[in-house]
Amino acid sequence: MSNFQGLGRWAGTAEVFSGDGQFLGNGADARHVQKLSDGRTRIDVSFVGPFKHAGHYFIEEQAADGNKHPIRLYQGPANIGYAETLSAGLVDAKAYWPALGLSQRFFLMILPDGKTQLSLAQMSRGEHLLYVVVGQNDFVPEGDSAPLPSLVSGTSYDLAGDPSAGRGELLLHRPCTWMGELTVLGPDQNQIGKIAFQEHCTGETDIGAVAFQNQLHVHTSAGGFVDQPSDYRLLTNHLHAWTPPNQSVAGSYSLSGGRALSGTFYYPAAHLRVWRREVVAHNGKSKAVINCWYRGDQRIGTEFGVLMIQD
C-alpha cells in the first residue's frame, strides 16, 4: 500500500480569502506529523490568521477493498473525517473542524522535491463557503528553525478588492504554456497510467480592465478521460471564469488571488464532468493539479500531477 509520506515538521504561510473571493489576510501555518507506536499518526497543528485554531488529531490508515491506497480516518478531537491517499504525495479529504464549526474540502500535494507542500482548503458552514485557504508549507529539518515565509507586503484593508492579492497578475491567467505529467487513476483509485499533458492559455487578462471585458483562450491536450484535445474560451471578471455559449466545454471556476481555482466543467462529447482544483506555488513556476472525473454522480477516476510553466 502507498502510505502518504508527510512525517516531520512543516511550516509556512497561507493566503486566506472569503467565499466571494476577497483577500482577508495571510495566515501562519505550522504542523508536526509523527507516527505513534500504535500505528496511528498524530498531527499537531496551529493556524493564526483571519481565523485561528490550535489543536491535534489522530489518523488511522485502513486498507480499502480493491484499492491499493489506504483511506485515512481523521479521529479527532480537532479534525474529524475521511481522506483518500491518492499517492505517497497526495491526500484528498473531506472533514469537519468542531472548534471552528466548519466543514472542509481539502487537498494537499507534496511536490517532487519532497520539501514543499501545496494545499487548498475550502471551509464551509452548511452550504455557505466562508473561507478559501491557499497554503504552501516547507519541510523543517530536525533542529532547524522554520524558514522565513514568502509574502507579498500589504494590508487586507488595501488588498481586499485586489483579485491578485497584491501580486499585480493572476498567475493562473497568464499567457503561457503549462507542461508536465499527470497520473491517471481508475474508479477504484488504482493507477492505470501516466500521460504527458499540456495546457496553453492566451488572451487579455488586464486586471485593471472593466469586469466581464476579459476573455481567455484555452487549449489543452488529450487527457486520461477525454481522448481529444480541447479548445475553448472563458470570460473572466478576475474572481471567476466561465464559458460563453457554443464552446466544446461548459462550466466555470472560482479564483482565489489568481493563484488557486476550483470549479466544475462538463464535456458534452464525452458525457463527463470534471471537478478541477489547482494551486500555483509562490514562485509561480509550478502548479499542483487534481481533476476528479464523474459520469453523473459516479466517480470514474482521477488525474493529478505537477505542471511546470514553460518560458
Side-chain angles (χ1 to χ4, degrees), residues 1-3 61-64 67-72 83-85:
M1 292 192 298
S2 179
N3 295 333
E61 292 191 341
Q62 294 186 355
N67 187 341
K68 71 176 181 180
H69 301 296
I71 60 174
R72 293 162 63 89
E84 293 176 297
T85 57

Side-chain angles (χ1 to χ4, degrees), residues 73-94:
L73 303 178
Y74 296 166
Q75 299 178 327
N79 185 13
I80 300 169
Y82 175 100
E84 293 176 297
T85 57
L86 302 183
S87 77
L90 174 62
V91 291
D92 190 13
K94 296 177 177 64

Side-chain angles (χ1 to χ4, degrees), residues 210-272:
V210 178
F212 314 127
Q213 295 294 311
N214 293 273
Q215 293 193 37
L216 302 173
H217 184 191
V218 179
H219 180 88
T220 62
S221 59
F225 300 92
V226 175
D227 59 7
Q228 296 293 326
S230 298
D231 191 89
Y232 58 94
R233 295 188 179 275
L234 290 165
L235 303 179
T236 179
N237 61 0
H238 315 307
L239 296 175
H240 315 92
W242 62 97
T243 57
N246 304 316
Q247 302 297 305
S248 62
V249 178
S252 62
Y253 57 72
S254 56
L255 286 162
S256 298
R259 188 178 152 220
L261 68 79
S262 177
T264 301
F265 288 83
Y266 184 67
Y267 287 73
H271 308 295
L272 298 176

Side-chain angles (χ1 to χ4, degrees), residues 150-298:
S150 177
L151 292 172
V152 176
S153 297
T155 71
S156 57
Y157 178 86
D158 297 315
L159 299 178
D162 181 351
S164 72
R167 273 180 292 271
E169 64 175 341
L170 306 178
L171 296 179
L172 283 166
H173 283 183
R174 290 171 293 175
C176 68
T177 299
W178 296 93
M179 296 181 66
E181 184 178 73
L182 298 181
T183 298
V184 183
L185 306 180
D188 58 2
Q189 301 297 48
N190 287 327
Q191 183 174 320
I192 59 177
K194 295 187 177 185
I195 58 168
F197 188 78
Q198 179 173 308
E199 176 186 77
H200 184 65
C201 177
T202 60
E204 174 59 56
T205 57
D206 178 8
I207 63 173
V210 178
F212 314 127
Q213 295 294 311
N214 293 273
Q215 293 193 37
L216 302 173
H217 184 191
V218 179
H219 180 88
T220 62
S221 59
F225 300 92
V226 175
D227 59 7
Q228 296 293 326
S230 298
D231 191 89
Y232 58 94
R233 295 188 179 275
L234 290 165
L235 303 179
T236 179
N237 61 0
H238 315 307
L239 296 175
H240 315 92
W242 62 97
T243 57
N246 304 316
Q247 302 297 305
S248 62
V249 178
S252 62
Y253 57 72
S254 56
L255 286 162
S256 298
R259 188 178 152 220
L261 68 79
S262 177
T264 301
F265 288 83
Y266 184 67
Y267 287 73
H271 308 295
L272 298 176
R273 66 180 173 91
V274 59
W275 176 27
R276 292 176 52 191
R277 286 169 290 170
E278 300 181 2
V279 174
V280 179
H282 282 310
N283 63 14
K285 296 181 179 179
S286 61
K287 67 176 179 178
V289 174
I290 176 169
N291 299 326
C292 297
W293 288 87
Y294 299 85
R295 179 174 288 113
D297 287 331
Q298 180 182 7

Side-chain angles (χ1 to χ4, degrees), residues 14-57:
E15 294 173 353
V16 184
F17 301 86
S18 67
D20 59 5
Q22 280 198 326
F23 177 69
L24 300 178
N26 284 95
D29 187 18
R31 302 174 199 155
H32 184 203
V33 185
Q34 53 187 319
K35 202 73 173 177
L36 303 179
S37 59
D38 62 5
R40 296 188 300 168
T41 301
R42 173 171 170 146
I43 312 287
D44 290 87
V45 60
S46 68
F47 185 88
V48 179
F51 62 89
K52 55 187 174 66
H53 181 57
H56 72 276
Y57 57 96

Side-chain angles (χ1 to χ4, degrees), residues 51 95-104 123-126 128 130-131:
F51 62 89
Y96 180 70
W97 293 78
L100 300 173
L102 295 175
S103 298
Q104 180 191 58
M123 314 290 288
S124 302
R125 185 163 289 158
H128 184 194
L130 295 182
Y131 300 105

